Amino acid sequence: MASLPQLSAVLATAFVTIVIAAVAYRLFATLILHPLAKVPGPKYAAITKYYQFYYDVVLRGRFPWELKRLHEQYGPVVRIGPNEVHVAEPNFYDELYTGIARPRHRDPWEVQGFGLPDAVLCSPEFDIHRMRRAALNPYFSTQAIGRIEPVVRSKLDLLCGRLEDALETRKPVDVELAFMALTTDIITEYCFARSYNFIKHPDFAPDWLKATVGAVEASMLGRYLPFLPAVMKAMPPWLVKMLSPPMMQLVIYTKDQESQVHAMKNGERVEDMKQGQRTIIHELFDSNLPESEKSVERIAQEAQTLVAAGSATTSYFLKSVVYFVLSDPDVLKRLQAELQTAIPDIKELPSSAKLQSLPYLDAIIKETTRTVPGAFCRLGRIAPNEDLKCGQYVLPRGTVISMSTWIQHNDPNLFPEPEAFQPERWLDKKAEDGRLERYLVPFSKGSRGCLGINLARVEMYLTVALLFRRFDLELFETDRGDVEPAHEFFLPISKLGSKGVRVKVRGLRS
Ligand code: HEM
């Protein structure tokens, strides 16, 4: 009979053998048997997606640069996970980001760190996403957004008032904060009929931006620790405040949004809410969504998504456009000349639809959306019912396939000298017939493309036209590093420690 030590040794050997065999089988299955085995890419990436932790969390959002390097080394189709490929082939974009006739799920991993599993943005499954999206679509159509254009204009008037004050005081204005305040005030008015009024805040509520950046950075860790959002939500407020004071702002506003949604469901009047004004949230409660979709918790998640998606994206764009225009005197001069002719009386700002037909303004806006990405994250889709062919590779149904706006917009074959800000590239013949615009995808495309594109466009054209028609501005201690994306926390974030894009108001234009 074997002694106890002998038995232990046999069991330990058996255990080690089983572990080695399991690992060997997993390697064999992933690297040799898997349908993606022939797709090039680093072996470590094919074995585990967790190698991205280093880029996402340790290096704080540097994976897009690694992706770029991988494409330089391996070509346009690279295996970046056991079941994921990343594609840098612009002609494949329309194959991947399709309309509802060709269903696409989204990669749940990308968004699980947000802790908003029931919001439209984070709904991976095609049918559920489609139902949730259909309930929101009517409030973001061109007509619906046309009806709220007066709200955008009234907030812009407040912003102009603040810039006129800055002319008096000669103090620089951080326009990133100002635009974050502007866009948040607009979307909160639309959602809750109760604007946060950040524009009236003496410093444009800087904690709001800090909290948003903190939250999106935390969501990167949440990709790897999906329970993290729930833990953070359950934390007592004093602990959140101790760990991160700006995050406390987010907790306060999240709770405030939840209580507003709750009150709206019960038909109570919310303090400050404009009496009788219908909002998206009211409409969602009255929609023909199934009752299970109308819980306060779910609708509050939808509201939080709209507020976040509707503010940080557009404000990043707006701060960038201010930087690009003011840093190039020729661009500034040409834009001002166009605006002067189109808007002879500054009190009569044309509709955003009219402004969109101004060629140089339009070119500037296109070039800014090309240069700075809206969603910086690669956007993963899964085709459940069809295999997709990309070049020599057949990507079987069920594969996570992603592409990146930033990589596409920096492709020198499409956009020569991609790092240069050149509005003129949108004015030449190739651009005129739409051939170039096909590859400009800041809002993504297809059934999961940006819901807020019409609102974003109204905000962009009105703000840029008004700002450069009405004010003489100059940059103050700002350089390209203050707009260049340096971190991917789903959204683009400029270098940490940036003091923002700051301008001085030099005068008023007549
Ligand atoms: C410059 C401004 C903006 C840019 C560049 C932008 C870009 C994008 C992109 C690329 C997506 C697709 C994300 C994905 O596939 O996962 C998206 C989705 C979304 N955007 Fe925007 N966005 C902007 C402004 C807005 C605004 C003003 C709103 C207003 C509420 C908004 C609401 C949303 C929502 C709710 C989604 C999720 C749509 C869905 O999953 O069906 N966005 N946006």
Side-chain angles (χ1 to χ4, degrees), residues 93 97 106 110-111 119-123 129 133 136 140 183 187 302 305-307 309-315 317-318 369 372-375 378-381 405 441-445 447-453 455-457 459-460 490:
Y93 204 90
Y97 301 94
R106 86 162 302 144
E110 252 164 40
V111 284
V120 67
L121 175 75
C122 306
S123 308
H129 171 267
R133 173 89 184 216
L136 286 165
F140 289 92
T183 51
I187 191 69
E302 212 68 285
T305 305
L306 293 176
V307 173
S311 52
T313 45
T314 318
S315 55
F317 163 85
L318 287 170
T369 59
V372 291
R378 66 187 192 274
L379 301 173
R381 299 287 186 264
T405 312
V441 290
F443 298 98
S444 189
K445 283 188 182 176
S447 56
R448 290 174 185 263
C450 181
L451 172 75
I453 181 170
L455 175 57
R457 287 174 67 80
E459 291 174 338
M460 287 170 172
F490 194 87

Side-chain angles (χ1 to χ4, degrees), residues 139-346:
Y139 311 104
F140 289 92
S141 66
T142 318
Q143 292 85 340
I145 295 303
R147 284 193 292 276
I148 66 151
E149 195 165 313
V151 173
V152 179
R153 285 166 180 266
S154 71
K155 303 293 177 204
L156 270 172
D157 283 346
L158 291 174
L159 181 64
C160 288
R162 294 294 310 274
L163 293 178
E164 281 166 22
D165 294 346
L167 175 64
E168 299 277 305
T169 61
R170 304 265 156 208
K171 278 196 184 150
V173 178
D174 180 339
V175 289
E176 179 166 21
L177 291 178
F179 294 141
M180 187 71 179
L182 173 78
T183 51
T184 306
D185 284 1
I186 293 167
I187 191 69
T188 50
E189 173 98 30
Y190 198 27
C191 284
F192 307 117
R194 183 197 185 202
S195 169
Y196 281 174
N197 282 327
F198 285 157
I199 295 180
K200 293 184 179 163
H201 189 284
D203 301 318
F204 298 113
D207 276 356
W208 178 244
L209 179 63
K210 278 192 208 145
T212 305
V213 174
V216 286
E217 178 164 14
S219 81
M220 304 301 279
L221 184 58
R223 286 176 174 175
Y224 303 90
L225 307 173
F227 53 84
L228 191 69
V231 171
M232 285 174 68
K233 216 171 164 193
M235 272 185 197
W238 62 264
L239 184 58
V240 179
K241 196 170 180 182
M242 200 177 83
L243 293 174
S244 162
M247 282 300 249
M248 194 57 214
Q249 283 301 316
L250 199 71
V251 170
I252 292 170
Y253 281 107
T254 304
K255 292 224 178 308
D256 178 64
Q257 285 161 7
E258 276 168 9
S259 67
Q260 289 192 61
V261 171
H262 196 270
M264 285 172 171
K265 172 148 191 171
N266 297 332
E268 291 164 20
R269 210 176 87 66
V270 182
E271 196 197 336
D272 294 345
M273 202 176 102
K274 296 198 182 89
Q275 246 174 329
Q277 188 173 325
R278 301 283 298 168
T279 67
I280 304 175
I281 305 302
H282 286 107
E283 302 294 346
L284 285 179
F285 279 127
D286 290 349
S287 69
N288 54 9
L289 279 171
E291 282 310 307
S292 56
E293 287 289 304
K294 294 186 187 173
S295 69
V296 169
E297 292 70 29
R298 195 194 85 74
I299 302 290
Q301 287 187 25
E302 212 68 285
Q304 284 158 33
T305 305
L306 293 176
V307 173
S311 52
T313 45
T314 318
S315 55
Y316 195 97
F317 163 85
L318 287 170
K319 78 159 181 177
S320 307
V321 80
V322 166
Y323 169 78
F324 286 123
V325 172
L326 292 181
S327 59
D328 186 331
D330 293 336
V331 171
L332 175 64
K333 213 163 141 202
R334 196 165 166 188
L335 175 65
Q336 282 177 333
E338 185 181 75
L339 292 174
Q340 192 77 38
T341 313
I343 315 170
D345 180 357
I346 185 59

Side-chain angles (χ1 to χ4, degrees), residues 8-24:
S8 305
V10 169
L11 286 177
T13 313
F15 178 74
V16 171
T17 312
I18 290 170
V19 170
I20 292 174
V23 170

Side-chain angles (χ1 to χ4, degrees), residues 75 83 132 151 159 177 228 236 241 341-342 352 384 464 476 482-483:
N83 190 36
R132 291 176 175 162
V151 173
L159 181 64
L177 291 178
L228 191 69
K241 196 170 180 182
T341 313
S352 69
V464 178
F476 175 78
D482 296 305
V483 296

